[in-house]
């Protein structure tokens, strides 16, 4: 090694560090995938705790017992989420056929407009029933597997709700537990990193939920004014899609424009496109800087890479978890940089040149 130049040795050292970190991350992902029935409820419970923490703290400040406050918070979230799911499902059931029919009409219009290329689209739609019939036996053979997946999902959701209760009730003990587990001399750093990571996730969840509600209300009102069919269902799709930054907004907005194009014509579709773009501009330049100004800011390219990586690891669930987990990582990195980078020298500390 002494024969190598100093820059080459430094490069080799950094390559070794990168490979070591990559190997640890890869093994960690494999372990999380293997024990997903335990890992996923914990991650979902952490997200739920970050979202519900302010409500629980308000109840505790109001002299409510911590266990009672955690129970009331969980009951409230079950009622709110259950009611929201019921509204969304009812809206999609009532207007889903209209949305599908409008999308089918839009696809037919594209097929008629593009001629030969459209014929392929039309043939694909025509042969879809034959394809389903051909592979129906395979689909039927997987019914038991599908039921097992549904049962596993329900079990993980119930476990996540119980964990939310315990995380909320014992949140005041988290710092002490971390300090007890931290190696000697690093307790303050570990606690600060954990706090910054949780604050980043908490800010992301609260900010995203509030922004999603504003986006959904604005677009739903605009679709109702423009008399676009399935306005409530499309608004629900916008709300759910907001938890997938950029990608969810693009998909839900595209669906709304296609439905307007098929049912109300080109002019109304342009109005819907204008409304969607205006809401996205409002979100990107006003709502996000104002609501999430105190959380970790991530570049759009980082967000898209995180969503892609999450989708490759765990599908839709990975897409939902990727961004808040990335926000937590950025929070930890920011805390480490603040602690170890050192303060910049002030003007008074700069020595004067003789």
């Amino acid at each position: 090694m002494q024969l190598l130049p100093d820059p080459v040795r430094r490069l080799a050292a950094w390559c070794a560090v990168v490979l070591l970190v990559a190997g640890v991350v890869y093994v960690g992902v494999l372990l999380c995938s293997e024990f997903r029935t335990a890992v996923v409820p914990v991650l979902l419970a952490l997200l739920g705790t970050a979202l519900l923490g302010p409500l629980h703290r308000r109840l505790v400040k109001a002299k409510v017992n911590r266990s009672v406050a955690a129970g009331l918070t969980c009951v409230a979230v079950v009622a709110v989420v259950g009611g929201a799911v019921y509204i969304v499902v009812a809206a999609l059931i009532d207007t889903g056929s209209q949305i599908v029919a409008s999308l089918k009409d839009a696809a037919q219009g594209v097929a008629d407009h593009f001629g030969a290329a459209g014929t392929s689209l039309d043939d694909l739609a025509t042969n879809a029933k034959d394809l389903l019939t051909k592979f129906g036996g395979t689909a039927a053979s997987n019914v038991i597997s599908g039921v097992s997946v549904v049962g596993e999902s329900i079990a993980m959701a119930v476990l996540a709700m119980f964990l939310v209760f315990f995380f909320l009730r014992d949140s005041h003990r988290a710092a002490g537990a971390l300090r007890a587990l931290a190696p000697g001399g690093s307790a303050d750093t570990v606690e600060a990193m954990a706090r910054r990571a949780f604050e980043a996730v908490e800010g992301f969840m609260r900010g995203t939920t509030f922004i999603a509600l504003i986006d959904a209300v604005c677009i739903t009102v605009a679709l109702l004014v423009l008399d676009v069919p399935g306005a409530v269902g499309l608004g629900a799709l916008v709300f759910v899609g907001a938890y997938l930054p950029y990608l969810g907004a693009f998909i839900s907005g595209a669906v709304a424009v296609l439905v307007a194009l098929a049912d109300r014509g080109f002019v109304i579709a342009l109005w819907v496109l204008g409304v969607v773009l205006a809401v996205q501009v409002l979100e990107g330049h006003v709502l996000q800087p104002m609501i999430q100004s105190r959380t970790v800011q991530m570049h759009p390219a980082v967000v898209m890479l995180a969503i892609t990586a999450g989708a490759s690891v765990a599908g839709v669930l990975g897409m939902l978890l990727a961004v808040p987990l990335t926000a937590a990582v950025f929070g930890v990195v920011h805390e480490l940089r603040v602690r170890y980078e050192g303060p910049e020298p002030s003007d008074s500390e700069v020595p004067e040149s003789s």
Side-chain angles (χ1 to χ4, degrees), residues 33-49:
S33 177
E34 187 69 23
F35 299 102
R36 63 185 181 279
T37 53
V39 174
V40 171
V42 172
L43 295 177
L44 293 177
L46 288 174
L47 297 183
T49 304

Side-chain angles (χ1 to χ4, degrees), residues 2 16 20 85 90 100 107 111 129 136-137 141 147 153 172 237 250 253 315 326:
Q2 296 298 331
L20 179 62
V85 170
V100 173
K129 184 176 180 180
S141 65
V147 171
S153 301
H172 62 297
L237 182 63
F250 173 78
T326 305

Side-chain angles (χ1 to χ4, degrees), residues 301-320:
V302 176
V303 175
M304 294 302 297
L305 287 175
I307 292 175
T308 304
S312 64
V313 173
V316 177
L317 183 61
M319 296 171 69
L320 293 174

Side-chain angles (χ1 to χ4, degrees), residues 103-193:
L103 289 175
K104 184 178 179 181
D105 292 341
Q108 184 63 44
V110 172
D112 294 340
H113 180 74
F114 287 102
T119 305
S120 299
L121 295 175
D122 188 58
D123 291 341
L124 181 61
T126 304
N127 295 330
K129 184 176 180 180
D130 297 335
L131 290 173
L132 289 176
T133 303
K134 180 179 179 181
F135 294 103
T138 304
S141 65
N142 291 329
V143 169
I144 297 178
S145 177
V147 171
S148 176
V149 171
V150 172
E152 180 180 295
S153 301
I154 294 174
M156 288 192 297
V158 173
L159 177 58
M161 183 54 63
F162 278 108
L163 290 176
V164 168
F165 170 80
F166 291 118
F167 287 172
L168 289 173
R169 189 193 67 178
D170 300 328
S171 58
H172 62 297
R173 302 176 182 173
L178 282 175
R179 297 182 70 89
L181 294 174
S186 63
D188 292 338
T189 302
V190 171
E191 181 182 353
M193 291 166 55

